[in-house]
Amino acid sequence: MTTTPPAAESEATDEPDSALTTARRQLERAAAHVDVDPGVVERLKYPTRVEQVSVPLEREDGSVEVFTGYRAQHDDVRGPYKGGLRYHPDVNAEECTGLSMWMTWKCAVMDLPFGGGKGGVAVDPKGLTDDETERLTRRFAEELRDAVGPTKDVPAPDMGTDAQTMAWFMDAYSMQQGETIPGVVTGKPPVIGGSYGREEAPGRSTAIAAREAVSYYDRDLSETTVAVQGFGSVGANAARLLEDWGATVVAVSDVNGAIYDPDGLETHAVPTHEEEPEAVLAHDAPETLSNEEVLELDVDVLIPAAVGNVITADNADAIRADIVVEGANGPTTFAADAILEERDVPVIPDILANAGGVTVSYFEWLQDINRRQWSLERVNEELEDHMLDAWNDVRAEVDDQGLTWRDAAYVVALSRIAEAKATRGLWP
Ligand code: GLU
């Protein structure tokens, strides 16, 4: 496996917080609370494999540039590897591996018949034209062709990729295989086998998790203030749903900063990243804040829904929210988690809160296999049911063992994975 330096965000905090380091520490910590064979825990610290590929791209000026792509496949004891593909300059083997571990737990906590995978290309997608993105995606799909497939490994959108990226990936794969195979990726546009509701799903599940957490701590959504960092598909959909359900969303941000209105923003009027990139600050609001300030607002619920490693040992003491709900993957470092636990600030973890994305990906995969499309109403109803089942499983561990929400979610996931591993056995 290739090792590359940790992501830039973690360097600022002086913490060894690559996604892989964090994921391994979280696993070890949670394993202490489950009666699980230490051999299973040892196996789960390592991915099955990490593919590294070179992706040559002809640029618009005729020159050729070679980008590096990855696909980390962590564990498939419960079903095909599943997880997103990101296009971001910080993508590297170590980050993909850590993120693929989180996908293993996420799928297990939701009781989906999938394992964990994650991949991507180390590229800044903002620096590519649409045609270049299409060529890069098609060539990446070809380089990964042997590694993926509807029963092997099923990619999906993640940071810097979207439904169109998945359409190009599916088309390239299908052309080479000689038949249309929609189930090779999820998160496609509905017209080619995508699921209604998939795009909103991670935001919807984040909102459901926030709603359930507010009720668990005996509060009323109509008296709840919310701050959301990130206004892409996760943050925007979570903010809008929570507003629809009666909460007061006082701040939302994008990479340039936040808008703040203590009386509540009209979040449907603020353009999402997909509707108009980086336009949050252009929306009229009484105050603007920096991205750091939005994390430290005195609100009931804080939803970090942008990038990883934003709540660190440096700012965990300054977090004034009563509840943190992780919309992004890995927004809280291991050290920050300990500080928040000490301060009795509950953190609803990413592997539960934003799991609506992969859950509706599962619905999409079922629809593709059955060649039968579900209505949006059915998708949202089944998502609600799956989220409440997972919420109740995790809540039971919180109540019975007095665990943090993250440890409880890991315990639920680990128990399911360990049972599958024990039942299948180690071969040879
Ligand atoms: N990239 C999303 C995640 O981190 C979705 C993965 C999927 O749908 O496979 O959960």
Side-chain angles (χ1 to χ4, degrees):
M1 188 183 111
T2 319
T3 324
T4 42
E9 293 99 338
S10 60
E11 278 164 14
T13 66
D14 285 336
E15 289 179 54
D17 267 324
S18 74
L20 180 57
T21 308
T22 306
R24 282 195 177 137
R25 286 174 167 188
Q26 289 169 344
L27 168 63
E28 272 171 10
R29 195 186 131 111
H33 302 288
V34 205
D35 183 17
V36 48
D37 177 354
V40 166
V41 178
E42 193 56 24
R43 287 168 69 189
L44 288 170
K45 287 182 195 162
Y46 303 91
T48 307
R49 67 180 67 79
V50 182
E51 296 279 342
Q52 179 177 325
V53 297
S54 296
V55 190
L57 170 71
E58 186 177 337
R59 306 299 305 245
E60 300 298 1
D61 65 3
S63 66
V64 171
E65 204 170 329
V66 180
F67 295 93
T68 306
Y70 305 90
R71 184 69 182 172
Q73 298 177 331
H74 174 243
D75 185 82
D76 69 344
V77 71
R78 290 168 48 88
Y81 303 100
K82 186 84 193 80
L85 292 176
R86 49 173 66 175
Y87 290 175
H88 192 277
D90 293 337
V91 167
N92 59 56
E94 191 171 329
E95 184 193 60
C96 289
T97 307
L99 291 164
S100 73
M101 288 174 76
W102 284 330
M103 287 310 302
T104 304
W105 324 136
K106 197 183 286 191
C107 292
V109 90
M110 296 306 297
D111 213 3
L112 308 177
F114 290 132
K118 187 76 84 171
V121 178
V123 62
D124 180 1
K126 287 187 212 161
L128 300 177
T129 65
D130 284 353
D131 284 348
E132 287 173 338
T133 307
E134 175 173 354
R135 287 199 293 276
L136 183 85
T137 302
R138 289 182 179 280
R139 182 61 185 250
F140 186 38
E142 176 57 17
E143 297 300 337
L144 287 185
R145 186 148 61 94
D146 288 340
V148 299
T151 57
K152 277 192 204 170
D153 182 353
V154 186
D158 202 273
M159 274 164 63
T161 59
D162 59 15
Q164 180 61 67
T165 323
M166 295 304 115
W168 289 325
F169 194 108
M170 175 277 222
D171 183 66
Y173 180 84
S174 296
M175 299 275 295
Q176 291 290 66
Q177 297 293 107
E179 57 184 312
T180 295
I181 307 175
V184 64
V185 287
T186 58
K188 302 176 295 294
V191 70
I192 52 163
S195 179
Y196 294 116
R198 170 62 184 80
E199 194 150 335
E200 305 84 57
R204 178 171 285 271
S205 67
T206 302
I208 293 172
R211 186 193 69 201
E212 293 305 309
V214 164
S215 141
Y216 180 85
Y217 290 103
D218 288 328
R219 291 158 184 236
D220 201 318
L221 213 47
S222 65
E223 285 158 25
T224 298
T225 53
V226 182
V228 182
Q229 188 193 46
F231 214 61
S233 114
V234 185
N237 284 300
R240 288 174 174 181
L241 273 171
L242 285 167
E243 187 194 338
D244 292 348
W245 295 342
T248 307
V249 180
V250 296
V252 301
S253 77
D254 65 17
V255 33
N256 300 315
I259 48 172
Y260 175 61
D261 185 344
D263 295 328
L265 296 159
E266 276 185 36
T267 56
H268 288 271
V270 183
T272 69
H273 185 77
E274 287 70 30
E275 287 161 2
E276 194 186 336
E278 299 179 20
V280 165
L281 286 186
H283 187 80
D284 199 27
E287 266 185 70
T288 58
L289 304 170
S290 72
N291 247 307
E292 292 72 40
E293 286 169 326
V294 79
L295 294 171
E296 298 173 12
L297 279 174
D298 188 4
V299 286
D300 298 303
V301 176
L302 170 66
I303 303 182
V307 292
N309 287 349
V310 293
I311 304 181
T312 68
D314 295 340
N315 66 356
D317 269 321
I319 302 292
R320 284 185 289 164
D322 295 335
I323 304 170
V324 176
V325 180
E326 295 185 328
N329 288 320
T332 314
T333 67
F334 190 77
D337 236 0
I339 295 169
L340 292 174
E341 184 186 0
E342 180 74 30
R343 293 184 48 218
D344 278 333
V345 179
V347 179
I348 312 301
D350 45 9
I351 59 169
L352 175 62
N354 73 27
V358 73
T359 303
V360 176
S361 278
Y362 168 56
F363 301 161
E364 179 171 333
W365 184 75
L366 291 176
Q367 292 170 68
D368 290 341
I369 291 169
N370 290 302
R371 297 288 201 265
R372 183 162 187 191
Q373 198 154 42
W374 298 6
S375 68
L376 177 62
E377 290 69 32
R378 176 169 175 194
V379 168
N380 285 343
E381 269 170 35
E382 296 222 13
L383 174 59
E384 175 82 20
D385 290 349
H386 273 69
M387 281 305 294
L388 290 184
D389 285 349
W391 175 269
N392 288 329
D393 292 341
V394 173
R395 195 204 53 200
E397 297 296 336
V398 170
D399 288 341
D400 297 349
Q401 294 202 61
L403 301 177
T404 65
W405 290 88
R406 191 183 315 280
D407 286 340
Y410 268 73
V411 164
V412 170
L414 204 48
S415 311
R416 289 180 179 149
I417 295 160
E419 200 181 337
K421 284 214 182 283
T423 308
R424 283 182 60 167
L426 176 58
W427 181 82

